[in-house]
Amino acid sequence: MPDPSAIRLTIPRPDDWHVHVRDGDLLRAVLPYTAKIFARAIIMPNLKPPVTTAARAKAYRDEIIAAVPAGVKFTPLMTVYLTDATDPADLARGHAEGVITAAKLYPAHATTNSEHGVTDIKKIYPVLEQMQKIGMPLLVHGEAIGADIDVFDREAVFIEKTLKPVRKDFPALKIVFEHITTQEAADYVAAEGSKNTLAATITAHHLLINRNAMFQGGIRPHYYCLPVAKREKHRAALVKAATSGGTMFFLGTDTAPHTRAAKESACGCAGIFSAPNALALYAQVFDEAGRLDKLEAFASRNGPAFYGVPVNPDTLTLVKSLKPNSEIKPILTENGQEIVGFAPMSPAFWGVADI
Ligand code: NCD
Ligand code: ZN
């Protein structure tokens, strides 16, 4: 029975500009949650081994398409994982053939499966040159890595040490600063983003939690991701940026599933699985900020404009109920492994209608 007092909001069907859907049984378990809601998604290439060539991106795309539930319309947009040895010609061919949408920079050892990442940005300058020429966006995991850099400072250091120099050397290169977590990043992108060469994705969880979430009454592995959540003032800056209506900010959930066993461990994996409720939680955040009217730009319009693709022609309806949402149960892989979803720390009332 639909709740007669519910508030509804209909927007063009959104896209998710940053997802990890994994492969094999994990892919089959998690993909339906993304595919049912989002029309398109930028697929992260950090598999084991990583997706480093156009040929591998094509094979991975086939595997993803085979896992889309019957009757669901969903387009995976593929990325390749840059290494010190990436061949610029392979990227250009893959882009021209429509196989690759973007390339991903993981500084070596920055996050899950990033050990093959780029060891020195200068090593990929020929690749960046090529990408700038053909208009292929560079997606960056924006964290500087080094024994002397505090984990909470990595993003701010990356802006100074890598992002600013790269933007100076490649002024026309389109860059997406992925899953930003700091006021420094939000301010930098807001100031520079109007040139249409720099944008940022923001996750639902970074809009909802600060770093205290990881330590509430004990260590809470399901709130641990990279870049790690920061202080409250940074969360507030992200909410301001996302809900500002600025075209340089758009939706990227960074849903990053790991099995319960891999997270609840002495060395637990980084990653928050938010595909089932992320869109509804963005609505919750925009509503609480009194900015629901800006959700459509953030979720459905700014990303397509930056990537140069049309806004999706179909629509999706969000519904706000009087009763808070019930907790999402862990989902199960074919092998009976549990994946625990993101649980917001305060009640949320929004949901997606009819799916
Ligand atoms: C991601 C993953 O698990 O692949 N983890 C995460 O915490 N976000 C990698 C990434 O995007 O950094
Ligand atoms: Zn990610």
Side-chain angles (χ1 to χ4, degrees):
M1 265 283 284
D3 175 350
S5 61
I7 296 171
R8 299 169 79 84
L9 176 69
T10 298
I11 57 174
R13 198 163 160 224
D15 305 298
D16 187 342
W17 298 100
H18 185 127
V19 300
H20 300 265
V21 292
R22 314 302 191 202
D23 54 1
D25 62 334
L26 218 54
L27 167 70
R28 290 187 290 278
V30 300
L31 185 70
Y33 294 93
T34 291
K36 277 189 291 187
I37 292 176
F38 299 99
R40 296 167 292 208
I42 285 277
I43 308 294
M44 287 296 129
N46 62 333
L47 299 183
K48 267 188 181 163
V51 179
T52 48
T53 62
R56 287 220 54 209
K58 199 168 181 180
Y60 186 29
R61 182 171 71 178
D62 291 344
E63 190 188 352
I64 294 169
I65 289 170
V68 175
V72 171
K73 256 178 61 190
F74 173 73
T75 306
L77 303 174
M78 307 309 293
T79 61
V80 292
Y81 178 120
L82 296 174
T83 70
D84 290 351
T86 300
D87 172 10
D90 180 61
L91 278 196
R93 256 192 320 272
H95 189 247
E97 286 167 8
V99 174
I100 313 171
T101 299
K104 178 74 192 259
L105 166 65
Y106 288 104
H109 308 294
T111 187
T112 311
N113 298 345
S114 64
E115 55 274 19
H116 305 283
V118 173
T119 57
D120 175 359
I121 191 75
K122 286 265 156 56
K123 294 205 170 145
I124 60 160
Y125 263 34
V127 175
L128 300 184
E129 190 76 58
Q130 177 72 271
M131 291 173 65
Q132 176 173 254
K133 199 163 120 209
I134 62 178
M136 180 192 265
L138 174 71
L139 315 184
V140 299
H141 182 106
E143 291 196 288
I145 305 307
D148 54 335
I149 306 173
D150 189 278
V151 66
F152 292 97
D153 296 338
R154 286 172 169 187
E155 188 172 283
V157 175
F158 178 85
I159 297 172
E160 301 305 322
K161 266 181 58 172
T162 306
L163 190 53
K164 286 184 179 175
V166 166
R167 294 195 67 239
K168 189 160 158 279
D169 294 341
F170 300 97
L173 179 64
K174 286 176 93 74
I175 300 179
V176 184
F177 195 168
E178 300 283 6
H179 41 52
I180 60 167
T181 59
T182 57
Q183 177 159 26
E184 287 88 339
D187 288 350
Y188 180 63
V189 175
E192 293 286 306
S194 57
K195 297 174 193 154
N196 210 30
T197 50
L198 181 66
T201 55
I202 304 180
T203 75
H205 49 273
H206 287 113
L207 294 172
L208 282 159
I209 60 167
N210 63 33
R211 64 189 191 178
N212 292 334
M214 288 179 291
F215 310 106
Q216 289 258 332
I219 190 92
R220 300 278 199 141
H222 298 289
Y223 293 116
Y224 172 55
C225 66
L226 288 170
V228 71
K230 309 294 191 298
R231 288 177 178 279
E232 175 60 15
K233 75 163 189 188
H234 295 289
R235 187 196 69 82
L238 297 175
V239 171
K240 194 168 152 239
T243 62
S244 67
T247 54
M248 62 292 284
F249 298 109
F250 47 84
L251 185 157
T253 62
D254 193 21
T255 176
H258 292 277
T259 62
R260 183 195 280 277
K263 292 220 35 106
E264 296 178 11
S265 143
C267 185
C269 292
I272 289 179
F273 175 54
S274 64
N277 55 356
L279 182 64
L281 292 174
Y282 283 113
Q284 180 69 33
V285 169
F286 278 64
D287 189 9
E288 283 171 17
R291 296 279 187 147
L292 261 187
D293 59 320
K294 300 286 192 269
L295 183 65
E296 176 170 327
F298 179 80
S300 311
R301 295 194 180 276
N302 297 348
F306 188 83
Y307 276 88
V309 296
V311 172
N312 295 305
D314 42 348
T315 60
L316 172 146
T317 298
L318 287 145
V319 187
K320 183 183 187 182
S321 309
L322 285 176
K323 275 203 326 233
N325 297 334
S326 41
E327 211 174 288
I328 292 182
K329 294 202 176 67
I331 69 166
L332 282 180
T333 69
E334 289 152 15
N335 305 323
Q337 296 265 15
E338 281 187 353
I339 303 162
V340 177
F342 176 64
M345 302 185 87
S346 49
F349 298 85
W350 285 87
V352 177
D354 309 326
I355 60 159

